[in-house]
Amino acid sequence: MNKAHTSDHLPKSSLVPPRPMDLSEKPLLQVRSVSKYYGRRVGCEDISFDLWPGEVLAIVGESGSGKTTLLDCISTRMTPTSGMVNYRMRDGTMREVFRLGEAEKRFLMRTDWGFVHQNPADGLRMTVSAGANVGERLMAIGKRHYGDIRETAADWLEQVEIARDRIDDQPRAFSGGMRQRLQIARNLVTGPRLVFMDEPTGGLDVSVQARLLDLLRGLVAELGLAAIVVTHDLAVARLLSHRMVVMKEGRVIETGLTDRVLDDPQAPYTQLLISSILQV
Amino acid sequence: MTSATLHDIEAQQGAIADYNFAYLDEQTKRMIRRAILKGIAIPGYQVPFASREMPMPYGWGTGGVQVTASIIGPDDTLKVIDQGADDTTNAVSIRAFFARMAKVRTTTHTAEATVIQTRHRIPEEPLHEGQVIVFQVPIPEPLRFLEPRETETRKMHAVEDYGLMHVKLYEDIAQKGHIATNYAYPVKVKGRYIMDPSPTPKFDNPKMHRSEALQLYGAGREMRIYAIPPYTDVVSLDFEDYPFEIQHFEEPCALCGGTDVFLDEVILDDQGGRMFVCSDSDYCEDRRAHGHRGSLSPDILDGASADGDKEGTEA
Amino acid sequence: MPDTISSIVKTTPVLMTDVAKNFVMHLRGSVTIPVVSGVNFALRAGECAVLGGPSGVGKSSILKMIYGNYSADCGQIMVAYRDTMIDIAKAEPRTVLAIRRETVGYVSQFLRAMPRVPALDVAAEALVGQGEGLAEARLKAGEMLARLNLPETLWQLPPATFSGGEQQRVNIARGFLTDHPVLLLDEPTASLDAANRAVVIDLIREKKKKGVAMLGIFHDEDVREQIADAIIDVAHFAERAKRKGQSQGAMVGRPLELT
């Protein structure tokens, strides 16, 4: 009777079986006492946490709280003043990311890691086609079959709800939401295990934002991705993340399960932040 | 000095002014030779060098001239070509420069030359061991138009981060159905560095592969030298399903009937008349000297049959 | 010893010992509001315990502490997970999530759903979370929504625009579909009509038969009488919290951490 209501004509759903959870699993990423100073000014100070496979961590805080600095430090886009970041490579070994050679680091960043920028123009090549944007990471890891690369790129466009026939269009011709989805496809095509996102829904209309969040949630669950999402939007944190870190003036104010932090905030600053949310 | 010309000074002194052999001073030559040796040691790697001001403008082959000046000796025989021809302005003036500054023998015959300086072509006649071919390079960086930051492209070379190069080829196929890059077609040298072969037609790329001759590249304005030692693997980038292909010409050379050579289009009149002739002028002349004829050779026009025709006469 | 633990896991999947909870309102001069103190009780498999006491006495807070949604200031909240008991008050976030996935289900008072996700998928979500296939989960979700008399025309719409009763039914479907051994029910019948209340009562009875331990808040006397196996008087815990709070009065101005 409800056949018509099942999978057949539904839009892509965020409803996917989550990655099996194994509490004996080892962390994917360890952040230890990471500090970054800009001269005498504190970017972020003494930050430590672990991230497990398949876990989504939100870093929230107001502008200037140091959340983007922290993200840049962990993702090696910036070198911290002190501290350590360890990452479990695909072979199971734990490596200190700042001690990786440049070639190893680049390989890691274009295979096992992804980085989704707030402004898609920072993460895309605006003057090459959507297909090439998605295909670039494949070509970088040695894929040399044009037909295969194109087919994979088209599949990914579909996954992020961009029509296959837009494959030869440049992102310049795309809307903000499409660009952001293209950026996500470009990052996910190599099957990364860890994705960094800097305000992934920032600057998008609310309806576009909802669609993107739904898409991200589904992809993260489906692919078992671990992610670190920087956002100032607590609603985004609630929808996307399992765990939350609240930052202020470069320091961690509070951390914990996302709904626990949001529903029972302990620190004065967190209470202030949450009480400042506009209710619809 | 006000009214004195170089000619007057030469006349007074009975010789040209005291220029060092081949114009450059010996210290500069040593510096350039070091860069060349390093380039040979790391095939395809762009070696920075302190490019000198030359008595000709940038874009006229100052990089190639400095390389040639640093390797040429009194016993060498020099050939200079521009777009395959020995008789174009650039070729003529560089040849005259070395004839005067190094007093070396010059030739237009590929086989006779020990050093060949070239702009935009590799001669049709296979080069042989002992020969050196010096390329004039305008932009040595193959990644330049994809990534404008030199700091970044140097890193990309260092860590073999070459995905971007294929992005360019991908875009060609996506837009035009085939790889549309016809000149300066990127190559991978000895399985490591991606290199710009200078604006030679891709037709010449296969000649670079395992060439018997030493290939040297000089970019004066950009201050880079790079090299391919003899017998080095040079592979043109491509996709498995869109393999590298060279240009094919429908008709043979109109003057010598040569096929499998790179042809230039020559406009004959205002009515759209045109012909295709060998870009390599020495090769074309040599064939004609050996009796080969094309469809527009004067005697063919008088009634004899050309090489391209079925009853072509073989000399 | 392992025998004892595994039998506790099976018979008494939730065990609260000396649990206390205060709210510290930092935005109001760090005033401490005592909620409950000395909470001691156990939930038995196959039984439905009901939290009693007037509004605002801290019933929801107890449910939320068991779900790991509220922190506890002291005490132990042991919850069955696989073949052991874990103190959810001190568990790592990922452990709490694992417990929620496998052990503790929750029917909240208000629906908080993902934008754009249709009601059918909202209902099916927790089931998919337990590893059920998407098609099968949707089928079961549809059956459950039908049983709760939610019009089929609504199934493909996101529930954000639904009425309170409709949202609640989506929520109930979502919570009752799974086979969690512990189920927390936060006023599941509050905005339902008599017919749907009866459905919920049936659902609770079925869960009991399956050996599920339930803890609920029901303001409806009639419902409470039909399903409650035990009543836990929360007013008692709240009274203790207030008395403790008064004794803290001597320490006015001292930070809470000192107590």
Side-chain angles (χ1 to χ4, degrees), chain A residues 29-80:
Chain A
L29 184 83
Q30 294 176 321
V31 178
R32 291 290 175 271
S33 304
V34 166
S35 299
K36 173 76 185 176
Y37 300 97
Y38 302 103
R40 293 170 71 183
R41 204 162 56 77
V42 175
C44 63
E45 195 165 59
D46 196 25
I47 313 283
S48 301
F49 63 83
D50 288 345
L51 186 76
W52 276 268
E55 190 177 38
V56 180
L57 176 79
I59 303 176
V60 304
E62 293 172 323
S63 305
S65 60
K67 52 193 195 305
T68 296
T69 296
L70 176 61
L71 190 76
D72 285 348
C73 282
I74 299 168
S75 61
T76 75
R77 290 159 49 79
M78 195 186 262
T79 310

Side-chain angles (χ1 to χ4, degrees), chain B residues 18-59:
Chain B
D18 285 333
Y19 282 107
N20 193 32
F21 177 79
Y23 185 77
L24 291 175
D25 64 276
E26 292 304 311
Q27 285 303 318
T28 297
K29 287 186 197 168
R30 282 183 61 177
M31 176 270 293
I32 293 175
R33 284 175 198 145
R34 267 192 221 114
I36 293 170
L37 286 172
K38 184 169 178 181
I40 293 169
I42 316 170
Y45 170 72
Q46 299 167 48
V47 185
F49 80 109
S51 179
R52 298 293 194 246
E53 290 289 330
M54 296 302 286
M56 60 188 72
Y58 288 128

Side-chain angles (χ1 to χ4, degrees), chain B:
Chain B
M1 276 292 271
T2 43
S3 61
T5 63
L6 182 65
H7 187 77
D8 295 332
I9 297 167
E10 275 183 29
Q12 276 170 23
Q13 298 179 343
I16 58 170
D18 285 333
Y19 282 107
N20 193 32
F21 177 79
Y23 185 77
L24 291 175
D25 64 276
E26 292 304 311
Q27 285 303 318
T28 297
K29 287 186 197 168
R30 282 183 61 177
M31 176 270 293
I32 293 175
R33 284 175 198 145
R34 267 192 221 114
I36 293 170
L37 286 172
K38 184 169 178 181
I40 293 169
I42 316 170
Y45 170 72
Q46 299 167 48
V47 185
F49 80 109
S51 179
R52 298 293 194 246
E53 290 289 330
M54 296 302 286
M56 60 188 72
Y58 288 128
W60 284 68
T62 54
V65 166
Q66 290 179 79
V67 169
T68 300
S70 303
I71 61 165
I72 203 160
D75 301 332
D76 276 313
T77 304
L78 178 71
K79 169 183 164 80
V80 183
I81 49 173
D82 174 8
Q83 304 269 24
D86 295 89
D87 54 1
T88 47
T89 316
N90 192 249
V92 169
S93 58
I94 292 173
R95 193 163 57 234
F97 177 79
F98 282 110
R100 201 161 167 202
M101 288 293 159
K103 304 268 186 292
V104 290
R105 285 202 302 137
T106 60
T107 181
T108 59
H109 300 304
T110 301
E112 281 175 18
T114 54
V115 177
I116 302 166
Q117 181 168 332
T118 178
R119 176 175 172 267
H120 296 195
R121 277 310 310 276
I122 297 174
E124 303 292 359
E125 193 176 327
L127 302 180
H128 54 76
E129 210 164 299
Q131 286 183 307
V132 181
I133 181 163
V134 178
F135 295 82
Q136 300 169 199
V137 181
I139 293 165
E141 180 50 73
L143 302 165
R144 173 72 48 87
F145 295 106
L146 304 161
E147 172 54 67
R149 292 168 298 176
E150 180 82 7
T151 48
E152 179 61 18
T153 54
R154 310 250 327 145
K155 268 192 208 160
M156 290 164 79
H157 283 296
V159 301
E160 265 189 284
D161 192 353
Y162 288 140
L164 201 48
M165 205 71 242
H166 272 85
V167 168
K168 166 83 172 69
L169 304 180
Y170 172 98
E171 286 291 85
D172 269 5
I173 301 171
Q175 285 164 17
K176 302 176 182 106
H178 59 95
I179 298 175
T181 305
N182 284 328
Y183 292 85
Y185 191 104
V187 292
K188 191 164 212 176
V189 181
K190 208 174 174 230
R192 176 60 180 83
Y193 284 96
I194 285 186
M195 195 194 93
D196 184 328
S198 85
T200 51
K202 67 178 178 181
F203 183 88
D204 288 341
N205 275 22
K207 296 176 189 163
M208 303 166 71
H209 179 59
R210 304 196 67 77
S211 167
E212 290 183 25
L214 169 63
Q215 302 169 69
L216 300 178
Y217 297 80
R221 179 174 36 205
E222 300 261 344
M223 306 187 188
R224 294 287 184 272
I225 283 170
Y226 49 101
I228 302 172
Y231 306 108
T232 301
D233 287 343
V234 178
V235 180
S236 303
L237 302 183
D238 61 2
F239 286 102
E240 288 156 16
D241 46 346
Y242 285 83
F244 171 76
E245 280 174 351
I246 58 170
Q247 293 102 326
H248 288 289
F249 297 92
E250 314 258 300
E251 44 189 298
C253 169
L255 296 179
C256 75
T259 52
D260 299 326
V261 290
F262 192 75
L263 300 179
D264 284 339
E265 183 181 2
V266 178
I267 304 294
L268 296 175
D269 51 37
D270 290 344
Q271 278 73 54
R274 58 189 189 153
M275 65 174 181
F276 288 92
V277 296
C278 288
S279 135
D280 184 341
S281 58
D282 171 59
Y283 181 81
C284 195
E285 277 162 25
D286 189 58
R287 276 180 57 87
R288 277 180 278 156
H290 285 83
H292 294 281
R293 294 291 177 269
S295 58
L296 293 178
S297 297
D299 47 349
I300 296 297
L301 295 175
D302 292 343
S305 68
D307 267 21
D309 300 344
K310 280 211 173 102
E311 306 87 6
T313 48
E314 197 66 27

Side-chain angles (χ1 to χ4, degrees), chain C residues 62-228:
Chain C
I62 290 176
L63 285 189
K64 285 175 176 173
M65 283 192 280
I66 299 172
Y67 198 57
N69 180 223
Y70 275 10
S71 66
D73 294 327
C74 65
Q76 272 190 338
I77 306 171
M78 302 304 283
V79 177
Y81 177 72
R82 298 194 179 173
D83 50 6
T84 187
M85 300 292 282
I86 292 178
D87 183 359
I88 207 162
K90 294 184 183 63
E92 288 290 318
R94 55 195 304 266
T95 309
V96 177
L97 290 177
I99 290 172
R100 285 183 187 178
R101 192 183 285 183
E102 289 184 28
T103 310
V104 183
Y106 186 58
V107 179
S108 59
Q109 199 172 350
F110 303 106
L111 179 72
R112 194 182 316 258
M114 190 71 196
R116 234 172 58 120
V117 178
L120 188 71
D121 281 7
V122 172
E125 190 179 13
L127 202 53
V128 172
Q130 288 196 326
E132 186 82 59
L134 186 57
E136 185 67 13
R138 278 180 174 153
L139 209 67
K140 287 186 181 171
E143 284 164 10
M144 184 64 95
L145 290 176
R147 192 171 165 189
L148 287 157
N149 307 304
L150 190 78
E152 215 175 310
T153 45
L154 296 180
W155 294 3
Q156 293 308 323
L157 301 176
T161 53
F162 290 8
S163 74
E166 288 162 349
Q167 289 197 5
Q168 187 147 40
R169 278 177 278 163
V170 175
N171 228 359
I172 291 165
R174 176 189 169 89
F176 277 90
L177 273 170
T178 57
D179 54 1
H180 287 107
V182 177
L183 196 54
L184 307 173
L185 308 165
D186 194 349
E187 302 199 41
T189 54
S191 26
L192 299 185
D193 57 25
N196 284 315
R197 267 206 305 277
V199 175
V200 173
I201 290 166
D202 280 348
L203 286 171
I204 292 171
R205 285 185 176 141
E206 286 164 24
K207 286 283 176 195
K208 280 193 202 175
K209 280 200 192 110
K210 285 184 185 159
V212 174
M214 280 168 286
L215 180 63
I217 302 171
F218 297 91
H219 283 299
D220 190 317
E221 289 281 350
D222 174 48
V223 175
R224 205 189 307 182
E225 265 166 35
Q226 292 194 59
I227 50 103

